[in-house]
Amino acid sequence: MRRTPIVQSALWEDFYKFSMQLFTFRSYDDVWVRFGLKNRSNDKYPLVDLVDEQRLRWELDAAREVVRFSAADREHIASFANIHPGFAEPDYQSFLQNFQLPPYGLAREGTAYRVESSGWWPEAMMWETKGMRICACLAGETLAQQKYGENWLDVVRRENDRRLAGKIARLKRYPELRIMEFATRRSFSPEIQDNNVGRLSTELLPGQLVGASNVFLAQKHNLPALDTMAHELWMVIAALADAQGASDQILRATQMRVCDEWRQVPLFVFS
């Protein structure tokens, strides 16, 4: 049976990655970076015991092949020009047309895996959520198999629906509450996340679900694609200053420098 990869679309991505990518494309496209994946819970959930190395490598290779922006994908990204015109500008659209995830390295380190990729910042940064999602899905699959046996997928689907129904019922008791779906990096699987976004969009009270961070699912379920602000920009710009021998005072100042540059591009309103 043909295996379906976990990463199935270039648009199956949190919207904030595109807004930050556009920022780095405009201001830091000549910065060479190295991204790495670290499991901070490896003592409790050692990835080497939960994730088969061959399967992990297959998924990472598949992601490099799948994450290509078709004309339809680029058109959809360009539709966010109402948020910032840069999404539709020809040079960024050309960048997306030629985009491919940079090569990666995978190695065992004790009970952990080291997954790293080096490249220009606007390119290498897109490995972050994909690497996290692949490892989370594979580890979750193993844990479910260990707990539920050969019928693990049916059990997971039923348990997910049971828990989600309870949460939806509770949320509906608070009509004034507004929520945003933001599960792409740590969802159990693409199927479960798709199911949950669809149910939230149809079963919550009108207006309670304000949007989804996942660009693909937002489009599929006719929801606004919304974003947050990740710490990546602050981390990398501080690291660049540190590499140049910056003093502690200058390092601290990089935190406000990011905010100033975000406003000066000019780019996005904080959300």
Side-chain angles (χ1 to χ4, degrees):
M1 182 173 63
R2 182 177 175 81
R3 179 184 292 165
T4 300
I6 292 168
V7 177
Q8 300 175 22
S9 168
L11 295 183
W12 197 287
E13 181 61 90
D14 288 319
F15 182 53
Y16 81 89
K17 293 299 293 188
F18 291 113
S19 59
M20 293 199 309
Q21 183 188 56
L22 181 56
F23 174 82
T24 60
F25 176 75
R26 287 278 170 251
S27 302
Y28 292 93
D29 64 320
D30 59 347
V31 171
W32 190 263
V33 299
R34 183 178 69 207
F35 276 78
L37 176 69
K38 181 178 181 180
N39 177 19
R40 290 177 292 183
S41 301
N42 203 71
D43 289 342
K44 185 176 182 180
Y45 299 108
L47 284 184
V48 165
D49 295 339
L50 297 173
V51 176
D52 176 74
E53 183 176 352
Q54 185 176 358
R55 174 74 186 280
L56 175 56
R57 193 177 298 278
W58 186 90
E59 292 287 357
L60 294 170
D61 288 341
R64 291 199 74 219
E65 292 301 317
V66 168
V67 181
R68 306 292 183 90
F69 291 89
S70 67
D73 293 338
R74 299 193 301 275
E75 182 179 358
H76 187 60
I77 295 295
S79 72
F80 297 124
N82 63 312
I83 298 173
H84 191 276
F87 284 119
E89 289 173 354
D91 57 345
Y92 181 64
Q93 285 284 305
S94 178
F95 167 77
L96 292 179
Q97 183 176 1
N98 297 310
F99 180 87
Q100 184 179 20
L101 290 168
Y104 68 88
L106 170 63
R108 291 187 179 213
E109 287 189 343
T111 59
Y113 287 115
R114 185 178 75 248
V115 182
E116 293 184 344
S117 179
S118 297
W120 302 114
W121 191 3
E123 298 173 349
M125 67 183 296
M126 303 305 278
W127 265 119
E128 177 210 4
T129 49
K130 295 166 182 64
M132 291 177 65
R133 179 151 41 98
I134 288 169
C135 288
C137 288
L138 294 179
E141 181 178 312
T142 299
L143 290 169
Q145 289 174 340
Q146 292 173 351
K147 185 173 183 178
Y148 301 123
E150 63 178 337
N151 296 320
W152 64 272
L153 184 55
D154 290 335
V155 178
V156 165
R157 288 167 174 161
R158 290 196 301 270
E159 180 64 13
N160 175 76
D161 287 341
R162 183 190 69 79
R163 294 187 187 189
L164 185 62
K167 292 178 180 180
I168 289 173
R170 187 175 183 184
L171 289 168
K172 290 172 73 172
R173 296 203 297 268
Y174 303 92
E176 73 284 358
L177 191 64
R178 301 291 180 266
I179 68 168
M180 167 186 164
E181 189 277 338
F182 191 47
T184 297
R185 292 172 294 169
R186 297 179 179 88
S187 60
F188 180 83
S189 70
E191 174 196 337
I192 293 293
Q193 187 182 7
D194 188 2
N195 170 78
N196 291 354
V197 174
R199 287 191 59 191
L200 289 170
S201 67
T202 57
E203 297 180 30
L204 285 174
L205 297 174
Q208 278 194 300
L209 182 64
V210 298
S213 181
N214 185 297
V215 175
F216 181 94
L217 293 179
Q219 182 185 34
K220 177 178 179 178
H221 296 287
N222 196 29
L223 294 166
L226 301 178
D227 67 351
T228 180
M229 193 69 174
H231 52 260
E232 175 185 336
L233 299 181
W234 284 266
M235 291 175 65
V236 175
I237 290 176
L240 291 173
D242 186 52
Q244 296 170 358
S247 65
D248 288 348
Q249 181 179 1
I250 292 176
L251 279 176
R252 288 192 293 269
T254 62
Q255 304 305 286
M256 287 307 301
R257 173 183 158 192
V258 175
C259 300
D260 292 340
E261 291 184 3
W262 185 267
R263 293 188 177 97
Q264 289 170 7
V265 168
L267 207 62
F268 308 90
V269 176
F270 284 99
S271 59

